[in-house]
Amino acid sequence: QSVLTQPPSTSGTPGQRVTISCSGSISNFGSYAVNWYQQFPGAAPKLLIYSDNQRLSGIPDRFSGSKSGTSASLAISGLQSEDEADYYCAAWDDSLSGPVFGGGTKVTVL
Amino acid sequence: QLQLQESGSGLVKPSQTLSLTCAVSGGSISSGGFSWSWIRQPPGKGLEWIGHRHHSGRSSNNPSLKSRVTISVDRSKNKISLQLTSVTAADTAVYFCARVIYGDYDWYFDLWGRGTLVIVSS
């Protein structure tokens, strides 16, 4: 059971906009930024978004992040087949005194 | 460009010690004042932070792993090491090393190794 809560899956057709939610608490999102990672099968996670909404250099601008209160979301606009992957949210957590992850959301492109 | 590569024992017997190394290439582990972490992912499951080694030398581990974890940095060999004692089948996972970027508001992993699978089985 993860500290941050994400839906297990979502899907969309090419060109569509999909949104992945991530629910946290005061001990994490209350004071710290959310980050988002993309992971393809058999590969390492890759940082997409840091500091709530900053894209890492080289990440397409169809990926965007936001946070409000204890909830955050990752949006993928103009969904492409190569976006089919698992996405994880993460943040520092004061209760753990370490970073915590969401359970991951599998994005399927129909 | 900095690269990380994990290596170590792929099969460990229950109750024994898991030992992994993360080799850093393309730059010095000492430059930039970075911290280094280990993260693991059981097959088909999500990510779990194991612990990290701050550039100051201070370490911090996931309380769920209690005192079983030791993370060390060998600056002369440009390597980060992980030891996990008294392993059980629940420790079977892909283990990743990662570089940490942090500030007053943010804490994230900007660079990851490819990971190495460790199976705990007799």
Side-chain angles (χ1 to χ4, degrees), chain A residues 3-4 28 89-93 96 98-102, chain B residues 47 49:
Chain A
V3 174
L4 305 180
N28 39 70
C89 58
W92 181 269
D93 187 278
L96 180 68
V100 291
F101 292 92
Chain B
L47 301 163
W49 171 69

mmCIF file of all heavy atoms in Angstrom, chain A residues 3-4 28 89-93 96 98-102, chain B residues 47 49:
data_model
loop_
_atom_site.group_PDB
_atom_site.id
_atom_site.type_symbol
_atom_site.label_atom_id
_atom_site.label_comp_id
_atom_site.label_asym_id
_atom_site.label_seq_id
_atom_site.Cartn_x
_atom_site.Cartn_y
_atom_site.Cartn_z
ATOM 1 N N VAL A 3 2.113 5.264 -0.058
ATOM 2 C CA VAL A 3 1.770 6.474 0.675
ATOM 3 C C VAL A 3 1.030 7.449 -0.238
ATOM 4 O O VAL A 3 0.107 8.140 0.184
ATOM 5 C CB VAL A 3 3.047 7.120 1.250
ATOM 6 C CG1 VAL A 3 2.733 8.464 1.895
ATOM 7 C CG2 VAL A 3 3.708 6.182 2.254
ATOM 8 N N LEU A 4 1.457 7.521 -1.495
ATOM 9 C CA LEU A 4 0.790 8.353 -2.486
ATOM 10 C C LEU A 4 -0.142 7.463 -3.309
ATOM 11 O O LEU A 4 0.230 6.354 -3.682
ATOM 12 C CB LEU A 4 1.817 9.038 -3.397
ATOM 13 C CG LEU A 4 2.880 9.867 -2.684
ATOM 14 C CD1 LEU A 4 3.844 10.494 -3.692
ATOM 15 C CD2 LEU A 4 2.256 10.929 -1.803
ATOM 16 N N ASN A 28 3.645 15.149 3.013
ATOM 17 C CA ASN A 28 4.433 15.138 1.771
ATOM 18 C C ASN A 28 4.064 16.338 0.899
ATOM 19 O O ASN A 28 4.806 17.324 0.826
ATOM 20 C CB ASN A 28 4.328 13.817 1.014
ATOM 21 C CG ASN A 28 2.924 13.222 1.038
ATOM 22 O OD1 ASN A 28 2.010 13.742 0.426
ATOM 23 N ND2 ASN A 28 2.752 12.125 1.777
ATOM 24 N N CYS A 89 4.290 8.971 -9.362
ATOM 25 C CA CYS A 89 4.513 10.241 -8.672
ATOM 26 C C CYS A 89 5.358 9.970 -7.440
ATOM 27 O O CYS A 89 5.419 8.831 -6.946
ATOM 28 C CB CYS A 89 3.193 10.901 -8.286
ATOM 29 S SG CYS A 89 2.106 9.927 -7.234
ATOM 30 N N ALA A 90 6.028 10.998 -6.941
ATOM 31 C CA ALA A 90 6.895 10.841 -5.778
ATOM 32 C C ALA A 90 7.083 12.182 -5.099
ATOM 33 O O ALA A 90 6.929 13.242 -5.725
ATOM 34 C CB ALA A 90 8.255 10.262 -6.186
ATOM 35 N N ALA A 91 7.428 12.146 -3.833
ATOM 36 C CA ALA A 91 7.703 13.365 -3.071
ATOM 37 C C ALA A 91 8.418 12.994 -1.789
ATOM 38 O O ALA A 91 8.342 11.843 -1.322
ATOM 39 C CB ALA A 91 6.397 14.103 -2.751
ATOM 40 N N TRP A 92 9.102 13.965 -1.206
ATOM 41 C CA TRP A 92 9.688 13.768 0.120
ATOM 42 C C TRP A 92 8.543 13.694 1.130
ATOM 43 O O TRP A 92 7.534 14.388 0.996
ATOM 44 C CB TRP A 92 10.622 14.925 0.456
ATOM 45 C CG TRP A 92 11.270 14.752 1.806
ATOM 46 C CD1 TRP A 92 10.819 15.207 3.011
ATOM 47 C CD2 TRP A 92 12.475 14.034 2.077
ATOM 48 N NE1 TRP A 92 11.676 14.827 4.005
ATOM 49 C CE2 TRP A 92 12.706 14.108 3.472
ATOM 50 C CE3 TRP A 92 13.388 13.341 1.281
ATOM 51 C CZ2 TRP A 92 13.814 13.512 4.074
ATOM 52 C CZ3 TRP A 92 14.502 12.766 1.883
ATOM 53 C CH2 TRP A 92 14.693 12.846 3.259
ATOM 54 N N ASP A 93 8.721 12.855 2.157
ATOM 55 C CA ASP A 93 7.709 12.706 3.186
ATOM 56 C C ASP A 93 8.330 12.886 4.563
ATOM 57 O O ASP A 93 9.276 12.179 4.914
ATOM 58 C CB ASP A 93 7.041 11.328 3.080
ATOM 59 C CG ASP A 93 5.862 11.180 4.022
ATOM 60 O OD1 ASP A 93 6.085 10.880 5.204
ATOM 61 O OD2 ASP A 93 4.727 11.379 3.575
ATOM 62 N N LEU A 96 8.202 9.714 6.951
ATOM 63 C CA LEU A 96 9.176 8.676 6.622
ATOM 64 C C LEU A 96 10.606 9.204 6.755
ATOM 65 O O LEU A 96 11.538 8.446 6.953
ATOM 66 C CB LEU A 96 8.956 8.182 5.195
ATOM 67 C CG LEU A 96 9.892 7.083 4.674
ATOM 68 C CD1 LEU A 96 9.632 5.784 5.408
ATOM 69 C CD2 LEU A 96 9.727 6.893 3.176
ATOM 70 N N GLY A 98 12.010 10.459 4.253
ATOM 71 C CA GLY A 98 12.541 9.951 3.002
ATOM 72 C C GLY A 98 11.511 10.144 1.902
ATOM 73 O O GLY A 98 10.395 10.593 2.166
ATOM 74 N N PRO A 99 11.873 9.812 0.670
ATOM 75 C CA PRO A 99 10.927 9.960 -0.438
ATOM 76 C C PRO A 99 9.933 8.803 -0.480
ATOM 77 O O PRO A 99 10.264 7.667 -0.116
ATOM 78 C CB PRO A 99 11.832 9.937 -1.669
ATOM 79 C CG PRO A 99 13.002 9.119 -1.251
ATOM 80 C CD PRO A 99 13.194 9.370 0.219
ATOM 81 N N VAL A 100 8.722 9.119 -0.921
ATOM 82 C CA VAL A 100 7.686 8.108 -1.090
ATOM 83 C C VAL A 100 7.191 8.147 -2.532
ATOM 84 O O VAL A 100 7.259 9.184 -3.203
ATOM 85 C CB VAL A 100 6.505 8.319 -0.119
ATOM 86 C CG1 VAL A 100 6.937 8.028 1.311
ATOM 87 C CG2 VAL A 100 5.944 9.733 -0.237
ATOM 88 N N PHE A 101 6.708 7.005 -2.987
ATOM 89 C CA PHE A 101 6.213 6.875 -4.353
ATOM 90 C C PHE A 101 4.735 6.519 -4.358
ATOM 91 O O PHE A 101 4.216 5.940 -3.407
ATOM 92 C CB PHE A 101 6.962 5.763 -5.090
ATOM 93 C CG PHE A 101 8.405 6.049 -5.357
ATOM 94 C CD1 PHE A 101 9.388 5.646 -4.462
ATOM 95 C CD2 PHE A 101 8.802 6.695 -6.512
ATOM 96 C CE1 PHE A 101 10.735 5.897 -4.713
ATOM 97 C CE2 PHE A 101 10.134 6.952 -6.787
ATOM 98 C CZ PHE A 101 11.096 6.551 -5.873
ATOM 99 N N GLY A 102 4.076 6.840 -5.464
ATOM 100 C CA GLY A 102 2.747 6.328 -5.724
ATOM 101 C C GLY A 102 2.880 4.903 -6.239
ATOM 102 O O GLY A 102 3.980 4.447 -6.565
ATOM 103 N N LEU B 47 7.781 1.173 -6.817
ATOM 104 C CA LEU B 47 9.113 1.559 -6.380
ATOM 105 C C LEU B 47 9.158 1.784 -4.873
ATOM 106 O O LEU B 47 8.209 2.323 -4.285
ATOM 107 C CB LEU B 47 9.532 2.842 -7.102
ATOM 108 C CG LEU B 47 9.570 2.745 -8.630
ATOM 109 C CD1 LEU B 47 9.582 4.135 -9.253
ATOM 110 C CD2 LEU B 47 10.795 1.959 -9.073
ATOM 111 N N TRP B 49 11.919 3.288 -1.890
ATOM 112 C CA TRP B 49 13.195 3.876 -1.506
ATOM 113 C C TRP B 49 13.843 3.034 -0.421
ATOM 114 O O TRP B 49 13.201 2.694 0.568
ATOM 115 C CB TRP B 49 12.966 5.306 -1.025
ATOM 116 C CG TRP B 49 14.142 5.962 -0.406
ATOM 117 C CD1 TRP B 49 15.284 6.363 -1.027
ATOM 118 C CD2 TRP B 49 14.306 6.315 0.975
ATOM 119 N NE1 TRP B 49 16.146 6.945 -0.125
ATOM 120 C CE2 TRP B 49 15.561 6.938 1.117
ATOM 121 C CE3 TRP B 49 13.499 6.176 2.106
ATOM 122 C CZ2 TRP B 49 16.028 7.407 2.340
ATOM 123 C CZ3 TRP B 49 13.963 6.652 3.322
ATOM 124 C CH2 TRP B 49 15.229 7.263 3.431
#
